[in-house]
Amino acid sequence: MPFEFATAQRILFGAGSLKEIGPLAASLGRKPLVVTGASPDRAGRLLALLREAGLPAAVFSAAGEPSVNTVRTALAQADAEGTDLVIGFGGGSAMDTAKAVAALLANGGDPLEYLEVVGQGRPLVKPSVPLVAIPTTAGTGSEATRNAVLASPEHKVKVSLRSPLMLPRVALVDPELTYGLPPEITASTGLDALTQLVEPFLCNRPNPLVDGLCRDGIPRVSRSLRRACLDRYDTAAREDLSLASLEGGMALANARLGAVHGRAASLGGMFPAPHGATCARLLPRVLEVNHRALREREPGSDTQRRMDSLGRLLTGQAPSAAKAIAWVDGLCRDLRIPPLRSYGVTAADIPALVDRARVASSMQGNPVALTPAELSEILEKAL
């Protein structure tokens, strides 16, 4: 049973753990660049802790989902500042921008030289400059992944800069940083975390260590996502979601994904569709089509049994794929996940989206090969 497992060199988890950042950062560099999301003011406490440690930091704000040009701009600032330490502080956009900047500071060159699919796919050969990843949402798990997802507007696609050398030196996960997140962000990021636990669990190349992470993380999302959406200061629920998100990042970094992420990448490249909300809308439809395809083409397979066990992990009841699908479908309705048409997707766009999805790297991990008709059905039902 050959497999590989790699994650951040060090993980700090727990409420209040942000207070460790001063001495931690001082041990890694002297000129930090803090990469934030659209609201850099949220990093005020982080910046104060760095100043107390004698590390006044430069700040770069990655507004919106990161693109190739976002990374170019951030990289130019990092070069000008003499950056020797990158700190990502925010959601997936900040994390992915920070990881790309840290990698290119060490390796040189333009992002397109290294990007898969639309770029040259040149491998990174040097480890990233020291990188500390501090998530402020509970969904992407990017603090524990080995890639950065970047939009290439000229190609109308999102693709990855990917290498084990991009894993953060430290992942610092403080659930307190997620307290107070509004329900819509809690819902979309939480369902993203769930997707990143479900797809590695069901993928066509399972990993026994990943299985353990998924079996622990899926029930955490199940019992806590609704609670966190109803009460943004439910500390136990926030801790569950932060840990599940971390576990999802570790899972996807060491196993494969599937048709949800395969579709989300093409949708995000063509439309202003947030990644987490897109995954949330697609997940029940992909589960439904995968379940039917497995029954028809691979009855009695290990993956079909895994789909049944997913029902137990989500509901605590007897194993049942049908119950798993119904539970996810009901959760998406309860959390008011918007349909794809709200981002401008129409039925006329489906053929192009299907063509793009079929070559997406994530699609290669789907537990069963889906036909163009099945891929179209998923989108039609998600509109």
Side-chain angles (χ1 to χ4, degrees), residues 123-142:
L124 298 170
V125 295
K126 296 179 181 179
S128 299
V129 303
L131 169 66
V132 180
I134 308 174
T136 62
T137 63
T140 69
S142 189

Side-chain angles (χ1 to χ4, degrees), residues 41-345:
D41 54 300
R42 293 189 65 200
R45 183 167 172 242
L46 166 65
L47 296 173
L49 289 167
L50 291 172
R51 285 194 298 270
E52 289 173 12
L55 299 173
V59 178
F60 178 83
S61 174
E65 298 203 355
S67 68
V68 172
N69 282 334
T70 305
V71 172
R72 288 173 179 148
T73 304
L75 190 60
Q77 180 177 341
D79 277 330
E81 300 281 356
T83 297
D84 62 0
L85 166 65
V86 180
I87 301 174
F89 183 88
S93 296
M95 295 291 105
D96 283 358
T97 302
K99 285 195 290 186
V101 169
L104 292 174
L105 275 176
N107 286 271
D110 185 79
L112 279 176
E113 295 178 39
Y114 302 94
L115 282 177
E116 58 191 29
V117 183
V118 299
Q120 299 171 28
R122 176 180 160 193
L124 298 170
V125 295
K126 296 179 181 179
S128 299
V129 303
L131 169 66
V132 180
I134 308 174
T136 62
T137 63
T140 69
S142 189
E143 68 274 11
T145 63
R146 59 179 82 186
N147 69 304
V149 180
L150 306 179
S152 178
E154 61 267 41
H155 300 98
K156 295 186 177 181
V157 71
K158 287 182 179 179
V159 290
S160 282
L161 175 64
R162 190 188 309 272
S163 170
L165 298 175
M166 293 177 65
L167 284 163
R169 188 73 63 87
V170 180
L172 192 159
V173 184
D174 184 343
E176 286 185 358
L177 298 174
T178 70
Y179 293 177
L181 283 175
E184 62 274 15
I185 294 177
T186 300
S188 63
T189 55
L191 281 162
D192 190 15
L194 179 62
T195 303
Q196 291 171 172
L197 291 160
V198 168
E199 288 204 300
F201 184 65
L202 298 177
C203 78
N204 58 20
R205 191 176 291 176
N207 175 322
L209 295 183
V210 167
D211 285 353
L213 293 168
C214 297
R215 290 181 186 278
D216 183 77
I218 290 169
R220 291 183 186 276
V221 179
S222 171
R223 72 190 180 213
S224 293
L225 182 52
R226 281 189 178 89
R227 285 168 45 199
C229 289
L230 290 171
D231 178 1
R232 61 180 69 186
Y233 294 100
D234 184 326
T235 58
R238 292 293 181 186
E239 184 172 81
D240 260 350
L241 295 179
S242 289
L243 183 52
S245 177
L246 172 64
E247 291 173 322
M250 296 167 72
L252 76 88
N254 291 284
R256 292 182 169 185
L257 290 167
V260 176
H261 279 81
R263 307 320 301 273
S266 55
L267 281 160
M270 293 176 64
F271 299 92
H275 177 76
T278 303
C279 286
R281 186 67 181 179
L282 291 170
L283 179 58
R285 304 288 72 85
V286 169
L287 287 173
E288 182 179 43
V289 171
N290 276 344
H291 178 46
R292 188 183 67 221
L294 285 165
R295 282 186 303 167
E296 292 173 354
R297 302 200 281 276
E298 298 180 24
S301 67
D302 178 64
T303 308
Q304 190 173 18
R305 289 189 291 272
R306 282 174 175 262
M307 284 203 75
D308 284 334
S309 68
L310 179 62
R312 179 178 54 78
L313 292 171
L314 287 169
T315 69
Q317 300 174 10
S320 166
K323 287 182 180 178
I325 296 164
W327 187 91
V328 174
D329 212 7
L331 179 66
C332 289
R333 285 196 305 273
D334 291 349
L335 300 184
R336 300 180 181 178
I337 300 301
L340 297 183
R341 65 177 178 273
S342 65
Y343 306 113
V345 186

Side-chain angles (χ1 to χ4, degrees), residues 326-377:
W327 187 91
V328 174
D329 212 7
L331 179 66
C332 289
R333 285 196 305 273
D334 291 349
L335 300 184
R336 300 180 181 178
I337 300 301
L340 297 183
R341 65 177 178 273
S342 65
Y343 306 113
V345 186
T346 70
D349 299 308
I350 290 177
L353 288 166
V354 168
D355 287 342
R356 287 173 179 266
R358 292 177 71 189
V359 299
S361 58
S362 294
M363 191 68 74
Q364 310 312 309
N366 203 60
V368 60
L370 299 178
T371 66
E374 288 167 333
L375 292 172
S376 297
E377 178 187 346

